[in-house]
Amino acid sequence: MSIDTAKGVLGDATIGELEESLRGTVVRPGDASYDTARSVWNGAHDKHPALVVRCAGTADVIRAVEFARSQDLLVAVRGGAHSIAGFSTCDGGIVIDLSPMKGAVVDPVRRRVVAQAGLTWGDLDHETQAFGLAVTGGLVSSTGVAGFTLGGGVGWLLRRHGLASDNLTGAEVVTADGRVVHADAEEHPDLFWALRGGGGNFGIVTSFEFALHPVGPQVLGGLIVYPAAQARQVVDRWREACATMPDELTTLVNLTTAPPLPFLPEEVHGTRVVVLAGLHAGDPAAAEQAVAPLRTLGTPIADLMGPLPYLGMQTLLDPLWTAGSYNYFTSAFVDPSDAAVDALLRHHGASPTPSSELHLHQLGGAFARMPADATAFSQRDAGVLCNVIARSPDGADFDAHVAWAREARADIARHGHGTMYVNFTGDAAQDKVRASYPDAVHARLVRVKDAYDPTNVFHLNQNIRPSSAG
């Protein structure tokens, strides 16, 4: 059976040759597994690729890239498939699906892990915590290791150990011409620099090597919920506390609506609240003193901050972030001035759905100490990362919700650095991508793109366009 693509028709014999060359599988429209294979976590993106190649290893990735180029197919690359901006799927092209590639090898003596690109953070944390080790991972365990790391990687260990990409020590990459290269500080150093914050622009990373750190298995972390009536006080006192907070403690303020959870009083369900979340990843003896100021930012509705397994903290938010809802993220690096807080609170009051949220991610610590030229991630002097999330469980009125998020972001960004975090960007607009990198960094990223993907085969991402694209 032939298959229509965005560029022409693929014959059955051509697809059969591809299948015979793989250890993995090819999923076509009409196959029983097609709808499952084409779906992503973010329900806002409902695409119909011509083929999904489920890769069993690096050799399959090489063959899929060669096939895509030979047939002039649009290429989407899938790791964990959260797909905030919809880049891990496409219409009429080929999805190179890395999700079956879930190998992980931990070296507890060297404190290193080699992780294949199909792993989620839940998968990787399971392996590393067996040795009491961890690296900065996603705030939701279903987040893919690959996309998260390539865009930077903001998580609970950020202030103690930096971004996920800061801890990347090497990567295996399949380039646009089907070569396999190893990138680290010695081999292909420019490519290695670009992979640490430049996104999936430069090739398909099939495995990552990370530095690991002693973390857990028990930590002090959790949530403290305050009423929205105290929002200004809570945020102001949080700003003050951040100035003297130890690097071991990373916190996040979430302006949201109380879900119907059993630990919250029923009369609070559906009302606007301020949630303070945090993790102390240091000496347990110092943890309680470090988090004590967070308990007195206001009068809590619920205080759920206490000892718990690190794996418990990594999965704490999972029930609220299941697959299938329509999601739109947008972001801004800001300094939390009075005017910025005014804007946040104003848009919190106008949030369109109970699942719409505004997050303030605390930065600083190890994140800020990374030399500015060491990685492509460049916003080291920002005090806070604001993430605005529009969410609709069934897609109802989603366009209106997205409009709210964009307006909120534009208002808040006036008090910031003018830059965005590529992992929290639901748009592919070139002006937003360009504004997220200083001129010198962007120029260097273009040079790396020219060297490894001059024809922009990998452009379903927050795209760094090669020189040939103008």
Side-chain angles (χ1 to χ4, degrees):
M1 179 186 72
S2 62
I3 296 175
D4 291 332
T5 74
K7 296 292 185 71
V9 176
L10 289 175
D12 190 60
T14 301
I15 300 169
E17 289 178 7
L18 172 64
E19 288 179 306
E20 290 176 2
S21 69
L22 301 173
R23 192 159 58 92
T25 58
V26 175
V27 182
R28 320 182 194 197
D31 289 351
S33 60
Y34 177 73
D35 282 339
T36 299
R38 71 179 181 84
S39 65
V40 295
W41 175 87
N42 187 0
H45 306 293
D46 184 23
K47 302 292 182 66
H48 292 79
L51 296 174
V52 179
V53 177
R54 292 178 51 78
C55 299
T58 299
D60 285 357
V61 177
I62 296 169
R63 181 67 187 103
V65 170
E66 292 172 341
F67 181 84
R69 295 202 64 173
S70 71
Q71 302 298 321
D72 194 24
L73 293 173
L74 178 66
V75 175
V77 182
R78 175 180 300 164
H82 260 207
S83 210
I84 295 302
F87 294 137
S88 59
T89 186
C90 61
D91 284 322
I94 184 171
V95 173
I96 300 177
D97 184 2
L98 311 177
S99 62
M101 297 170 56
K102 291 186 177 294
V105 178
V106 179
D107 183 337
V109 176
R110 293 177 58 241
R111 292 181 179 170
R112 293 288 189 272
V113 60
V114 176
Q116 285 191 305
L119 291 165
T120 65
W121 281 104
D123 298 327
L124 187 56
D125 288 336
H126 175 80
E127 298 296 328
T128 61
Q129 275 293 282
F131 303 93
L133 300 170
V135 64
T136 306
L139 301 175
V140 177
S141 72
S142 58
T143 302
V145 168
F148 178 87
T149 300
L150 294 173
V154 171
W156 296 122
L157 300 179
L158 175 143
R159 288 172 43 79
R160 180 74 188 275
H161 298 302
L163 300 166
S165 57
D166 296 343
N167 290 279
L168 187 67
T169 59
E172 179 186 82
V173 186
V174 176
T175 64
D177 58 2
R179 290 181 297 141
V180 179
V181 301
H182 180 80
D184 59 22
E186 303 297 328
E187 299 181 77
H188 301 274
D190 281 347
L191 175 60
F192 179 60
W193 170 86
L195 294 175
R196 301 168 83 191
N201 275 282
F202 313 101
I204 300 177
V205 180
T206 54
S207 67
F208 300 78
E209 183 183 72
F210 294 104
L212 298 172
H213 309 278
V215 176
Q218 289 288 117
V219 296
L220 185 68
L223 310 173
I224 304 173
V225 183
Y226 292 98
Q230 299 175 19
R232 183 77 209 206
Q233 172 185 309
V234 169
V235 175
D236 285 349
R237 290 183 176 178
W238 173 74
R239 289 188 296 168
E240 294 172 5
C242 285
T244 57
M245 206 171 285
D247 292 353
E248 290 82 1
L249 179 58
T250 299
T251 62
L252 176 156
V253 171
N254 181 5
L255 303 173
T256 186
T257 300
L261 296 176
F263 57 79
L264 294 175
E266 189 172 344
E267 62 270 19
V268 173
H269 296 175
T271 67
R272 288 184 172 85
V273 293
V274 183
V275 180
L276 189 289
L279 171 73
H280 188 282
D283 181 359
E288 183 54 50
Q289 181 179 352
V291 303
L294 304 180
R295 303 186 192 277
T296 58
L297 302 178
T299 303
I301 297 169
D303 184 343
L304 302 168
M305 185 78 69
L308 78 170
Y310 176 70
L311 291 177
M313 188 66 188
Q314 286 293 87
T315 58
L316 187 65
L317 303 179
D318 284 8
L320 301 177
W321 294 93
T322 53
S325 290
Y326 286 53
N327 293 271
Y328 175 83
F329 287 23
T330 187
S331 62
F333 287 95
V334 301
D335 293 318
S337 63
D338 288 347
V341 174
D342 287 342
L344 281 161
L345 297 181
R346 185 167 58 252
H347 290 287
H348 180 217
S351 60
T353 71
S355 49
S356 296
E357 302 183 353
L358 298 104
H359 297 173
L360 295 175
H361 295 261
Q362 180 190 13
L363 303 177
F367 165 88
R369 288 193 295 272
M370 175 66 73
D373 61 352
T375 74
F377 195 104
S378 309
Q379 296 83 12
R380 301 289 177 171
D381 57 346
V384 165
L385 170 61
C386 178
N387 182 23
V388 185
I389 301 172
R391 198 158 189 259
S392 173
D394 57 4
D397 298 321
F398 187 58
D399 288 345
H401 305 335
V402 171
W404 165 82
R406 288 173 174 162
E407 181 182 351
R409 188 265 171 194
D411 197 4
I412 295 161
R414 281 195 282 271
H415 311 287
H417 294 219
T419 56
M420 303 178 76
Y421 173 39
V422 295
N423 282 354
F424 290 167
T425 304
D427 296 304
Q430 278 296 304
D431 62 333
K432 292 183 172 64
V433 176
R434 181 64 190 84
S436 294
Y437 299 100
D439 289 346
V441 172
H442 186 265
R444 186 176 176 186
L445 288 169
V446 171
R447 291 194 295 273
V448 178
K449 184 74 170 180
D450 287 346
Y452 293 92
D453 185 18
T455 60
N456 214 9
V457 171
F458 304 117
H459 65 268
L460 289 183
N461 43 50
Q462 303 297 345
N463 195 225
I464 303 297
R465 300 173 67 184
S467 299
S468 60

